[in-house]
Amino acid sequence: MCANKSESGTMMLELQERVTELENWKDGKGLIIYGAGNTFCSGSDLNAVKAMSNSQDGMNMCMFMQNTLTRLMRLPLISVALVQGKAIGGGAELTTACDFRLMAPGSEIRFVHKHMGLVPGWGGAARLVRMVGSRAALQLLSGAARVDPQRALCLGLSEETLSSSDGTKALEEAQVWLSQYTEGPASVIQAVKKVVTVGRELPLEDALRTEKDIFGTVWGGPANLQALVRRPKHN
Ligand SMILES: CC[C@@H](C(=O)O)C(=O)SCCNC(=O)CCNC(=O)[C@H](O)C(C)(C)COP(=O)(O)OP(=O)(O)OC[C@H]1O[C@@H](n2cnc3c(N)ncnc32)[C@H](O)[C@@H]1OP(=O)(O)O
């Protein structure tokens, strides 16, 4: 899925439509979000921001994007943000709504909100704290720090720095990287993402109960029965 250079109101609606489609993708296993050209996403369209600078419109936009990105994060797909060029402001927040980030050489994730007199509103702060810890999150937000691929690796914000910044090659690299995690039946890959999501988000007792329910969807299923016939050796 290609992120837009900056998110106008129309583009925010389009993002929500894509997420709805992905929620209904029964055979889906993986998702790569990448930008067009040399920018991953530069956040809200500043022209749109000016037009909705009153409190009510700002809150509506904030809640709309927070809801959309939370739904993106909870998709039963293994998602990757392929960061080429800059991921600025809301664009940086969009990267945190994916399970993984892969960064091309020379790319940058930057939470510039402070320089806009703002704080993240699309859920990026809540997700960042959970990813890198509160101290590092505070440094990145209060410093509006440029996070290059090396610093992202050190922080645990990125999984890998790709070898190519060329658009097509970087996407191919990201596809190969993701394929190591999406091999297998969609039902099982989706169940894996679901149990990780509940383990991350629910209190223990609720997570255990939900994990049991998800286990029940794959136990004795086609993939399980076929494996019992194959009896693979895990050596
Ligand atoms: C909750 C957070 C959320 C919010 O508050 O709603 C936000 O995300 S606030 C917005 C945060 N984003 C920015 O402030 C980005 C500002 N832009 C830049 O920093 C730079 O443009 C860039 C993204 C680093 C790219 O720089 P560069 O490669 O040098 O290209 P240009 O600067 O020449 O940009 C090309 C062209 O694109 C326009 N542009 C870029 N970003 C935006 C944007 N967010 N909204 C509107 N337009 C944007 C830029 O103005 C140029 O247009 P032209 O001047 O017409 O060529």
Side-chain angles (χ1 to χ4, degrees):
M1 183 168 88
C2 184
N4 296 295
K5 179 151 196 145
S6 60
E7 294 293 341
S8 65
T10 306
M11 294 169 181
M12 290 178 185
L13 285 169
E14 286 172 357
L15 179 60
Q16 184 192 57
E17 287 163 7
R18 297 295 84 73
V19 170
T20 302
E21 286 170 14
L22 290 167
E23 285 171 337
N24 295 295
W25 184 20
K26 297 307 171 206
D27 298 328
K29 298 196 277 186
L31 168 69
I32 299 174
I33 297 180
Y34 59 96
N38 68 342
T39 300
F40 174 79
C41 176
S42 64
S44 288
D45 183 306
L46 291 170
N47 305 307
V49 168
K50 275 187 197 147
M52 50 182 165
S53 56
N54 68 78
S55 176
Q56 189 54 58
D57 287 348
M59 288 301 103
N60 291 341
M61 179 275 290
C62 174
M63 289 315 300
F64 181 93
M65 286 304 291
Q66 215 179 76
N67 175 269
T68 300
L69 294 189
T70 301
R71 288 170 57 197
L72 170 62
M73 181 181 71
R74 290 175 176 162
L75 284 171
L77 306 171
I78 299 176
S79 59
V80 171
L82 168 53
V83 183
Q84 297 164 270
K86 297 183 190 299
I88 303 282
E93 295 193 65
L94 175 57
T95 72
T96 66
C98 294
D99 298 310
F100 302 110
R101 282 140 299 281
L102 300 176
M103 294 180 74
S107 64
E108 181 181 291
I109 296 173
R110 193 176 182 193
F111 295 85
V112 296
H113 305 74
K114 182 185 80 167
H115 291 166
M116 305 297 290
L118 292 168
V119 295
W122 298 358
R127 294 187 295 269
L128 186 66
V129 168
R130 283 159 175 76
M131 272 177 200
V132 303
S134 57
R135 289 165 48 237
L138 185 56
Q139 288 173 327
L140 296 187
L141 295 180
S142 64
R146 299 173 190 274
V147 183
D148 64 14
Q150 183 56 37
R151 185 171 187 183
L153 283 174
C154 294
L155 289 169
L157 187 56
S158 168
E159 305 311 309
E160 189 172 297
T161 304
L162 302 177
S163 58
S164 174
S165 53
D166 167 77
T168 307
K169 290 182 184 154
L171 182 55
E172 287 167 359
E173 277 191 76
Q175 288 166 332
V176 169
W177 184 90
L178 181 55
S179 66
Q180 68 187 307
Y181 302 107
T182 55
E183 187 183 342
S187 58
V188 177
I189 303 299
Q190 292 191 11
V192 167
K193 173 64 185 282
K194 286 174 185 174
V195 291
V196 170
T197 298
V198 297
R200 177 184 65 212
E201 297 191 15
L202 297 182
L204 180 58
E205 289 306 319
D206 297 337
L208 293 174
R209 187 166 40 253
T210 310
E211 182 176 311
K212 171 185 62 66
D213 296 342
I214 297 167
F215 174 84
T217 66
V218 289
W219 175 260
N224 179 221
L225 296 177
Q226 286 161 19
L228 292 174
V229 170
R230 258 195 349 268
R231 297 187 67 164
K233 293 269 186 273
H234 312 290
N235 45 17

